[in-house]
Amino acid sequence: MTAQQIRQAFLDFFASKGHTIVPSAPIVVKNDPTLMFTNAGMNQFKDIFLGESAAKYPRVADTQRCLRVSGKHNDLEEVGIDTYHHTMFEMLGNWSFGDYFKQEAIAWSWELLTKVYGISADRLYVTVFEGDEKEQLPRDQEAYNYWKQHIAEDRILLGNKKDNFWEMGETGPCGPCSEIHYDGRSEEERARVDGKALVNADDPNVIEIWNNVFMQFNRLKDGSLQALPARHVDTGMGFERLVRVLQGKTSNYDTDVFQPLIQFIAEKSGKPYNAAATPGTEGWNEAVAMRVMADHIRAISFAIADGQLPSNNKAGYVIRRILRRAVRYAYQYLGFKEPFLNQLVPLLAEQFKGVFDELWSQKDFVQKVVSEEENAFLRNLELGLRRLDTYFDLSNEMGIATHLDEDVAEHIKIKREFNEDRKNRLVNGTFAFTLSDTFGFPLDLTELIAREKGFNVNVEQFEHELQQQKNRSRAATAIDTGDWVILQDDDSVEFTGYDETETVAHIIKYRKVKTKGKEQYQIVLDKTPFYAESGGQVGDVGDLIFPNGDIIPVTDTKKENGLIVHFTDTLPQDMSDALTAYVDPERRLSIENNHSATHLLHAALKQVLGSHVNQKGSLVNENNLRFDFSHFSKVTEEELAQIEAIVNQKVRENIALQEERNVPYQQAISSGVTALFGEKYGDYVRVITFDETFSKELCGGTHIQHTGQIGYFKIVSESAVAAGVRRIEAISGIAAENFITEQARLVQQLKELLKNPKDVTKSIETLLDENSRLKKEIEKSIQEKAAGLKTELAQKAEAVNGINFIAQKVELPNAEAVKTLAYQLKDIVSDLFLVLAANFDGKPNLTVMIAEDLVKSRNLNAGAIVRDLAKEIQGGGGGQPFFATAGGKDASGLDRALAKAKSFVL
Ligand code: ATP
Ligand code: MG
């Protein structure tokens, strides 16, 4: 069976058991502060398990793209080294929401594996939760008894809480689980060692393929467990592992999921893929590198296709790190010195056509982003290697650590430490950390290169620095969330904000949250006109007004799973009262102006630049709008003018908003509506239209009733945000009017300053020309003056101990002129020791120039001397041994400095 057929068979099987097949959610998670990436099939159903929204279907099944590279599940370090953990993988799953439970789940998983897929029963083991005394949880006898009906009892193993009790997070739904393991060893091996002993023991040939979770409890904040009213089934099977089993391979990478990629890499690198290589043997590094590349490109590509660009923080940084890890392997072990990973994108897109089409439709964009990232990192890789070379060259004093330049004292201390460590053939941990932090150098790469040079790396110090950085970022994001206090046991929240900005409502529940030491409250209402931040539109602010006169300001509104959460700084006295939820109407109107203007802009961009323009992010607030979109070159002035003109034309047409709230998704798509990649749409969608033939988008945001309301639309900037992504910032309404008024006033002021010329531009050009001509003339006269001074000073040279000593005050306008004079004197006076004092508009200046011979033979240092002399003018300075300068505060000390100069040559 091919991978495609295996996937289809899974979906068909569960469809035949009454399951609705749903699409995969995007791999990048939005609207959940606890999760960056989808790491299990159940993520998209989390609010159903939490009881925050109702299940649409009692039984569903799907294949979900998952990523396990951060947070609770992080398999990154295993990937490429072992044969069965990936960064991105597909999780096949079936769910029951309060419908069937253990009996059916167990029977069907067994039927699918042994009957449909034909896996031999004597290669399978299952595990069941053994119970836990501390938690007062009994053994899952129910699951045990159902399994007994299908499989020999000696193949049912008991497992502990770690392996067989599944929890979503610190709090929330949880329950016992039952895993299915496959023994893929040879007959001889199986005869020699009993497979039972190898289950959950990290044997690469006895692996977990499927986990069936039976959710029956809810974990509260105090750690206690509560029985759930409705019990659910949640299963997850690793698709790539299943394919490996069914295709009779011993590694996921030997299946048709990965082989096309690996063969391509092998061919292009000119090195064979040696699947059997073991650590330390020939071909091992190359094999790991190929597996890493074939694996990582999947994670990178799908994350980008789902809207997560590589960046310097949060989810974006996770993707960047994965990409760098792959580039490093490619560079170091396969000799790819030029961007290469991106060439795998078209191959991958082809492979997932018809499964996850978001990659195919954006393959050029994804490839471009990957290629730019590779380019940037390859440059860093080289720079970092050069830094390391300097570090290893012991004939040099170190002048590096420029990242610390802001703090000079710290800089000197660290430099000293570096030089000390270098003598002991140790790579300083702070230095290794800088390499990783600034150049994206992984520690193991630094270690490897160090070893070649006979150096060790201070790993402890590196880890310390890393930990400190982690602590800093953790402290910045730590959120302490209290339990919900429930007032009304009703979780259906109605949003009224499309139709009104004032609604009478009741509090359903509230809780206290603490972020960065600040306490806030989160309040959920049964009905609310407050729009919760999403789709780029900021959350509403306003007031909750109570009958007793209490007014509680709402500072922000956000979504959490299915809920609309109002943020406040205080709680009202009486929370059972009906209240009026009141959205600040003026602010809301400005936001709506900008949001509707964004739709017009999007449509105009497609019209002017082409249909490849896709939204890559947007921000809409009361002040302005920001719109990021895929486009490969700078948008020209003419194009911008054209785009602006189209939008303003549509504004003047005063088009009425056409809002359809419950359109079936498929129907909307076939009507040609613009949908966004990486967005999870429900079965019913909201369509916002401004002129059937112009702008039609899926959107949950709030909009104005007629485009004329926008008044005027003005683009204020166009720039690049990432490879292949441009950003337009624009304003509308009153903000646009103010902007134009301000611009007009500025031009008026300029005109007046220039005495109202006919052509303002021309008259400024004339001014600039004249200015540069005058500058040149002044420069020339200074040079002439310096040349005159040169002969005069040379004659004043006094012979002291075989040195030609000059210490004089000069009248020159700037340091540049004094420097020129000093260099000229050095050329005509041999064995020169020169000190020049000057006064630039009250700022004293000292310059010391010493002939290079003297620097060596008399051990003189201009830098040290100028610093000493500068004390007389209350200043400081420095430079090189033969030339140095200083500035100061007290011009009256110049004479004293000149008098002191001679003491250095006596
Ligand atoms: P393991 O112990 O092998 O890491 P797990 O206990 O983390 O697995 P679950 O969280 O139960 O796995 O996920 C369900 C299934 O998803 C597993 O049975 C396995 O087949 C698959 N799976 C889990 N992690 C990965 C991964 N990193 N790459 C590929 N498949 C995975
Ligand atoms: Mg795991």
Side-chain angles (χ1 to χ4, degrees):
M1 263 172 133
T2 65
Q4 286 274 18
Q5 291 164 338
I6 293 169
R7 186 191 290 111
Q8 200 53 50
F10 177 90
L11 299 174
D12 291 347
F13 177 79
F14 281 102
S16 80
K17 305 288 183 197
H19 290 65
T20 303
I21 308 302
V22 300
S24 169
I27 207 164
V28 182
V29 175
K30 290 177 186 156
N31 297 333
D32 185 347
T34 63
L35 207 59
M36 282 201 266
F37 301 103
T38 298
N39 62 15
M42 58 74 64
N43 293 164
Q44 66 164 312
F45 307 114
K46 194 169 152 184
D47 46 353
I48 301 178
F49 292 127
L50 286 167
E52 281 166 5
S53 51
K56 275 189 228 117
Y57 314 102
R59 301 175 182 187
V60 302
D62 71 7
T63 175
Q64 171 67 51
R65 44 187 189 276
C66 294
L67 196 55
R68 291 199 168 178
V69 290
S70 59
K72 186 164 169 255
H73 291 287
N74 188 346
D75 295 332
L76 187 61
E77 290 312 314
E78 263 74 61
V79 174
I81 312 286
D82 82 8
T83 53
Y84 60 109
H85 280 96
H86 303 294
T87 54
M88 180 255 177
F89 64 97
E90 285 178 67
M91 200 186 276
L92 302 168
N94 58 291
W95 286 270
S96 148
F97 302 119
D99 188 12
Y100 64 84
F101 205 45
K102 293 177 192 177
Q103 181 176 12
E104 294 85 343
I106 286 172
W108 289 337
S109 60
W110 190 254
E111 182 185 341
L112 177 65
L113 292 181
T114 57
K115 302 271 156 41
V116 178
Y117 289 137
I119 299 176
S120 138
D122 79 338
R123 289 200 174 253
L124 294 172
Y125 291 93
V126 302
T127 65
V128 167
F129 181 47
E130 66 186 3
D132 190 282
E133 246 172 64
K134 252 204 280 154
E135 300 261 9
Q136 300 194 326
L137 285 167
R139 169 207 278 209
D140 190 356
Q141 193 60 40
E142 221 183 332
Y144 192 94
N145 292 342
Y146 288 128
W147 274 122
K148 235 171 33 180
Q149 299 175 8
H150 308 287
I151 186 170
E153 254 185 278
D154 67 342
R155 297 189 155 264
I156 309 175
L157 313 174
L158 292 177
N160 60 19
K161 200 174 141 229
K162 181 182 141 284
D163 285 325
N164 285 83
F165 194 84
W166 195 91
E167 306 209 32
M168 193 164 78
E170 307 256 309
T171 57
C174 52
C177 63
S178 195
E179 305 159 339
I180 305 173
H181 294 256
Y182 177 79
D183 185 348
R185 292 172 304 149
S186 65
E187 294 299 342
E188 303 89 75
E189 271 302 307
R190 293 206 302 142
R192 213 168 57 77
V193 181
D194 188 359
K196 260 205 280 290
L198 301 175
V199 167
N200 271 332
D202 288 335
D203 187 298
N205 291 314
V206 184
I207 57 172
E208 175 186 331
I209 53 174
W210 202 349
N211 196 357
N212 278 248
V213 180
F214 309 119
M215 282 198 217
Q216 53 191 111
F217 303 108
N218 186 24
R219 166 100 51 201
L220 299 182
K221 179 133 174 117
D222 65 9
S224 63
L225 292 169
Q226 209 178 36
L228 282 177
R231 302 187 302 176
H232 313 293
V233 172
D234 156 32
T235 89
M237 169 150 64
F239 171 64
E240 299 76 9
R241 293 187 190 179
L242 175 68
V243 174
R244 154 198 182 160
V245 167
L246 297 184
Q247 295 183 350
K249 308 290 185 193
T250 51
S251 160
N252 291 11
Y253 294 95
D254 293 344
T255 65
D256 62 347
V257 178
F258 289 97
Q259 273 302 304
L261 297 170
I262 289 192
Q263 288 314 325
F264 183 77
I265 299 167
E267 184 194 321
K268 294 288 171 184
S269 68
K271 298 188 172 157
Y273 174 61
N274 183 353
T278 51
T281 64
E282 181 154 332
W284 167 252
N285 286 335
E286 290 79 0
V288 172
M290 290 182 196
R291 288 195 287 265
V292 163
M293 290 164 71
D295 171 275
H296 288 15
I297 192 62
R298 295 164 28 111
I300 299 161
S301 300
F302 278 104
I304 296 174
D306 278 344
Q308 185 55 65
L309 293 171
S311 77
N312 253 341
N313 53 47
K314 297 194 188 143
Y317 190 56
V318 175
I319 299 307
R320 174 164 286 172
R321 264 180 27 223
I322 297 176
L323 189 140
R324 291 185 172 179
R325 196 168 181 268
V327 172
R328 196 274 282 191
Y329 273 104
Y331 182 93
Q332 199 177 354
Y333 297 119
L334 299 178
F336 287 112
K337 308 283 175 197
E338 298 294 324
F340 167 75
L341 274 180
N342 67 86
Q343 293 179 34
L344 299 172
V345 174
L347 232 70
L348 195 64
E350 180 76 46
Q351 194 183 346
F352 277 98
K353 225 158 102 180
V355 183
F356 301 139
D357 277 324
E358 22 299 87
L359 189 55
W360 178 256
S361 28
Q362 297 179 89
K363 62 182 189 318
D364 295 342
F365 170 71
V366 173
Q367 184 169 9
K368 169 104 179 164
V369 172
V370 174
S371 136
E372 289 286 322
E373 275 285 312
E374 285 189 274
N375 241 321
F377 181 55
L378 281 167
R379 274 200 301 277
N380 274 358
L381 206 59
E382 257 183 62
L383 287 176
L385 285 172
R386 231 179 283 157
R387 283 255 166 135
L388 269 167
D389 279 345
T390 324
Y391 194 95
F392 295 132
D393 181 3
L394 293 179
S395 65
N396 268 318
E397 272 282 292
M398 285 271 291
I400 50 177
T402 47
H403 65 300
L404 295 162
D405 275 353
E406 296 125 49
D407 187 336
V408 179
E410 180 72 5
H411 175 90
I412 292 170
K413 186 179 140 255
I414 297 236
K415 227 171 82 179
R416 216 174 275 146
E417 225 182 85
F418 282 11
N419 286 320
E420 204 51 41
D421 282 346
R422 291 166 74 216
K423 282 187 216 133
N424 298 322
R425 302 191 86 75
L426 188 67
V427 174
N428 182 283
T430 309
F431 179 66
F433 181 72
T434 310
L435 282 175
S436 123
D437 203 39
T438 314
F439 299 104
F441 256 54
L443 178 65
D444 53 357
L445 176 61
T446 307
E447 281 185 303
L448 187 86
I449 304 167
R451 228 174 291 132
E452 287 167 8
K453 299 277 178 180
F455 276 65
N456 285 314
V457 180
N458 188 340
V459 177
E460 220 169 89
Q461 196 183 10
F462 176 93
E463 297 291 350
H464 174 76
E465 292 278 347
L466 187 68
Q467 197 51 47
Q468 275 196 327
Q469 193 193 46
K470 276 193 187 152
N471 289 347
R472 281 193 296 271
S473 57
R474 195 171 306 132
T477 56
I479 305 176
D480 181 12
T481 312
D483 279 334
W484 285 112
V485 179
I486 298 175
L487 302 185
Q488 271 186 34
D489 196 12
D490 171 13
D491 254 351
S492 57
V493 174
E494 186 191 341
F495 176 63
T496 57
Y498 292 140
D499 305 309
E500 58 191 30
T501 51
E502 226 181 296
T503 300
V504 175
H506 286 88
I507 298 180
I508 295 183
K509 57 183 178 181
Y510 68 90
R511 69 180 173 190
K512 198 199 256 181
V513 290
K514 222 167 153 184
T515 324
K516 294 182 200 163
K518 194 177 144 221
E519 270 184 12
Q520 275 188 311
Y521 295 91
Q522 298 185 337
I523 298 179
V524 180
L525 305 174
D526 58 350
K527 282 192 232 167
T528 181
F530 281 78
Y531 183 79
E533 175 187 321
S534 65
Q537 179 175 336
V538 292
D540 278 330
V541 308
D543 293 312
L544 303 181
I545 304 168
F546 292 81
N548 70 354
D550 270 1
I551 296 182
I552 307 286
V554 173
T555 55
D556 200 359
T557 314
K558 287 199 158 89
K559 257 188 203 167
E560 185 164 323
N561 301 312
L563 299 175
I564 298 174
V565 181
H566 306 76
F567 286 70
T568 66
D569 291 336
T570 51
L571 284 179
Q573 280 166 359
D574 188 351
M575 289 192 273
S576 57
D577 271 356
L579 57 90
T580 305
Y582 174 84
V583 172
D584 176 348
E586 262 179 49
R587 180 174 177 275
R588 165 69 91 74
L589 192 60
S590 300
I591 295 171
E592 290 178 348
N593 263 336
N594 283 331
H595 201 155
S596 299
T598 305
H599 283 213
L600 302 183
L601 170 66
H602 192 178
L605 280 167
K606 279 193 193 292
Q607 219 174 69
V608 174
L609 302 178
S611 61
H612 63 278
V613 166
N614 274 311
Q615 177 168 346
K616 287 291 155 205
S618 79
L619 176 72
V620 172
N621 61 31
E622 67 272 37
N623 302 315
N624 59 359
L625 64 96
R626 202 172 77 193
F627 189 74
D628 297 345
F629 55 99
S630 46
H631 182 57
F632 294 121
S633 55
K634 189 169 170 53
V635 187
T636 64
E637 288 290 333
E638 298 83 74
E639 287 166 337
L640 286 175
Q642 223 179 323
I643 290 158
E644 211 171 74
I646 293 175
V647 174
N648 280 316
Q649 169 62 31
K650 294 293 166 186
V651 170
R652 285 190 300 274
E653 282 172 20
N654 199 22
I655 305 159
L657 163 70
Q658 206 185 316
E659 182 209 15
E660 296 154 281
R661 285 195 195 158
N662 283 305
V663 187
Y665 176 75
Q666 272 315 329
Q667 183 186 324
I669 291 298
S670 23
S671 81
V673 73
T674 304
L676 305 185
F677 294 112
E679 206 62 53
K680 171 96 195 135
Y681 293 107
D683 297 341
Y684 291 90
V685 291
R686 182 162 170 266
V687 180
I688 294 295
T689 308
F690 289 109
D691 177 350
E692 274 301 325
T693 61
F694 185 65
S695 162
K696 208 167 173 168
E697 285 195 37
L698 293 189
C699 177
T702 63
H703 287 272
I704 49 175
Q705 293 305 311
H706 291 89
T707 59
Q709 175 73 52
I710 293 171
Y712 182 59
F713 171 83
K714 181 80 199 143
I715 294 176
V716 289
S717 79
E718 191 275 344
S719 58
V721 270
V725 183
R726 310 293 305 182
R727 166 172 296 175
I728 282 184
E729 285 173 295
I731 48 184
S732 72
I734 194 93
E737 180 188 328
N738 290 343
F739 178 81
I740 294 297
T741 312
E742 191 47 46
Q743 296 290 310
R745 186 177 309 145
L746 193 71
V747 173
Q748 189 50 36
Q749 281 168 350
L750 282 178
K751 276 188 180 162
E752 280 165 23
L753 269 177
L754 296 165
K755 310 252 173 332
N756 290 311
K758 272 205 209 87
D759 185 339
V760 185
T761 322
K762 184 128 184 283
S763 108
I764 292 178
E765 274 167 8
T766 315
L767 267 182
L768 289 174
D769 283 350
E770 196 169 67
N771 188 277
S772 90
R773 189 172 53 74
L774 288 174
K775 263 197 190 142
K776 275 187 205 133
E777 271 176 27
I778 292 175
E779 198 47 44
K780 200 169 145 221
S781 85
I782 292 173
Q783 293 297 336
E784 281 166 9
K785 189 164 179 197
L789 275 175
K790 175 177 75 174
T791 355
E792 193 184 319
L793 286 180
Q795 281 159 7
K796 288 191 180 155
E798 184 187 338
V800 185
N801 291 335
I803 289 173
N804 284 316
F805 174 78
I806 305 175
Q808 291 290 332
K809 219 182 210 167
V810 288
E811 271 179 36
L812 285 170
N814 57 42
E816 203 42 47
V818 179
K819 184 176 174 183
T820 312
L821 174 61
Y823 271 84
Q824 287 180 352
L825 275 168
K826 186 175 74 149
D827 287 343
I828 58 168
V829 180
S830 60
D831 296 329
L832 175 68
F833 185 101
L834 171 74
V835 180
L836 294 175
N839 187 337
F840 309 136
D841 287 333
K843 288 201 191 89
N845 176 276
L846 289 167
T847 300
V848 176
M849 169 71 92
I850 304 173
E852 263 142 53
D853 300 349
L854 292 183
V855 169
K856 282 190 200 121
S857 63
R858 303 280 175 108
N859 198 20
L860 290 168
N861 185 322
I865 293 171
V866 92
R867 269 194 292 276
D868 196 5
L869 294 178
K871 286 180 198 154
E872 303 296 334
I873 56 169
Q874 290 186 26
Q880 290 145 289
F882 71 96
F883 178 80
T885 59
K889 284 190 222 129
D890 181 12
S892 73
L894 284 173
D895 289 324
R896 284 197 300 279
L898 286 176
K900 193 176 178 184
K902 207 178 224 167
S903 64
F904 290 99
V905 292
L906 288 177

